[in-house]
Amino acid sequence: MIKIKTKEEIEIMRESALVVSKTLGMLAKEVKPGVSTLYLDKLAEDFIRAEGAIPGFLGLYDFPNTLCMSPNAQVVHGIPNKELLKEGDIISIDCGAKKNGFYGDHAYTFAVGEIAADTKKLLDITKESLYVGIRELKAGNRVGDVGYAIQKFTEDHGYGVVRELVGHGLGREMHEDPEMPNYGKRGRGKKFVEGMVVAIEPMTNLGTHKIKQHSDGWTITTLDGKPSAHFEHDIAIVNGKPELLSTFKYIYEALGIESNEEDEFRANL
């Protein structure tokens, strides 16, 4: 059952999302060759707790860490470890935090130093597909409208759209209704209404859309071993339109990137 949020609850959720946004911004300065994902995980846990929140993933479904850290061909749910990041890697960092009873949950795929041109394009297109999907998140549209838009955009660029892993509703639980696939047909699925909050998270592979799960029960990689990218935002439907609760601005400030990509989804514009 879809749980509609009041305006007050949406504002509380904005605080939770911003804890995650600030955590990712802090990590943006630390992602570099020679650093382990386990080190980054510890930084994130300490930062989240200092913000008056608790790590949203730690212990959730028995997950052992604060961050899902998924380098290169790993799609999602990678477990932090002592292996060191290398020049040319990419690393998806998925982070959750719970504050005042509500969750924030979003993700960004970082380049480690200089990366290959085709990998950079994968990251750019995957992030752009996120906003393509968000534009369809408005009252009266349906889940399939978002999935169709993301799928068409990414497949038109020749990439594989992961089927088995999807976005989701968000609130007092990390995963609520509705599921938000990154593929689908227009006009299908549950209808969007005022007060819905969801996490949209395209997972796009450089090659095949097919994936495999590893024996640790968590790690998922592309079937062909090619890179995968993952970007995620938390969005509420406010006055019938999509409004971002999360932001990449802290990442961009850390990396010296100028961007206006989020402007159309802000309430004060």
Side-chain angles (χ1 to χ4, degrees):
M1 185 179 74
I2 295 173
K3 299 174 182 177
I4 303 303
K5 278 70 180 181
T6 65
K7 289 185 177 180
E8 291 76 17
E9 287 174 329
I10 288 173
E11 289 310 306
I12 294 171
M13 291 192 69
R14 193 189 307 277
E15 289 185 36
S16 302
L18 285 177
V19 171
V20 181
S21 299
K22 291 176 181 178
T23 305
L24 292 174
M26 177 274 295
L27 292 170
K29 299 177 182 178
E30 303 293 336
V31 172
K32 51 195 170 187
V35 170
S36 76
T37 51
L38 199 59
Y39 169 76
L40 297 174
D41 186 74
K42 176 60 175 168
L43 289 181
E45 180 179 355
D46 292 347
F47 187 91
I48 289 168
R49 294 190 189 281
E51 290 286 318
I54 60 173
F57 296 167
L58 184 61
L60 185 69
Y61 314 125
D62 295 324
F63 188 74
N65 292 88
T66 293
L67 300 173
C68 293
M69 305 283 282
S70 308
N72 302 320
Q74 291 187 24
V75 181
V76 287
H77 302 163
I79 298 173
N81 56 53
K82 294 180 180 179
E83 290 186 23
L84 304 182
L85 296 175
K86 303 185 302 295
E87 182 82 15
D89 284 346
I90 58 171
I91 179 81
S92 164
I93 303 182
D94 194 355
C95 180
K98 188 176 186 181
K99 187 174 183 180
N100 298 321
F102 287 90
Y103 283 96
D105 168 29
H106 64 115
Y108 192 92
T109 301
F110 294 88
V112 182
E114 292 295 322
I115 62 175
D118 60 348
T119 306
K120 184 181 186 307
K121 184 180 178 184
L122 172 69
L123 268 57
D124 292 342
I125 294 300
T126 304
K127 181 156 64 71
E128 193 171 345
S129 78
L130 171 59
Y131 297 109
V132 168
I134 291 171
R135 291 188 187 99
E136 299 296 322
L137 184 76
K138 48 193 175 186
N141 275 8
R142 294 182 180 271
V143 166
D145 297 322
V146 172
Y148 172 84
I150 293 172
Q151 181 180 12
K152 184 177 190 311
F153 183 80
T154 52
E155 289 183 349
D156 282 352
H157 284 87
Y159 300 130
V161 179
V162 174
R163 308 294 202 271
E164 294 86 349
L165 303 157
V166 299
H168 50 90
L170 189 70
R172 292 188 181 275
E173 302 294 331
M174 175 66 77
H175 298 110
E176 298 183 354
D177 283 337
E179 289 191 344
M180 296 291 298
N182 299 304
Y183 61 94
K185 296 183 178 180
R186 286 203 177 278
R188 301 284 183 89
K190 295 180 179 178
K191 185 179 287 188
F192 299 132
V193 298
E194 185 77 8
M196 285 178 65
V197 180
V198 301
I200 298 177
E201 48 180 320
M203 289 155 273
T204 305
N205 302 339
L206 188 62
T208 179
H209 68 83
K210 295 181 180 180
I211 60 174
K212 62 179 178 181
Q213 186 166 21
H214 290 244
S215 58
D216 62 15
W218 287 105
T219 305
I220 293 173
T221 61
T222 59
L223 191 61
D224 58 11
K226 293 183 179 180
S228 182
H230 175 214
F231 291 86
E232 178 180 17
H233 267 313
D234 301 339
I235 317 102
I237 298 179
V238 179
N239 298 322
K241 299 176 181 179
E243 183 176 317
L244 284 179
L245 304 183
S246 55
T247 179
F248 293 149
K249 74 174 185 178
Y250 300 105
I251 295 172
Y252 294 158
E253 287 172 1
L255 299 179
I257 296 171
E258 293 187 11
S259 173
N260 62 358
E261 68 191 19
E262 298 179 2
D263 289 358
E264 65 183 287
F265 308 111
R266 293 294 172 201
N268 59 348
L269 293 171

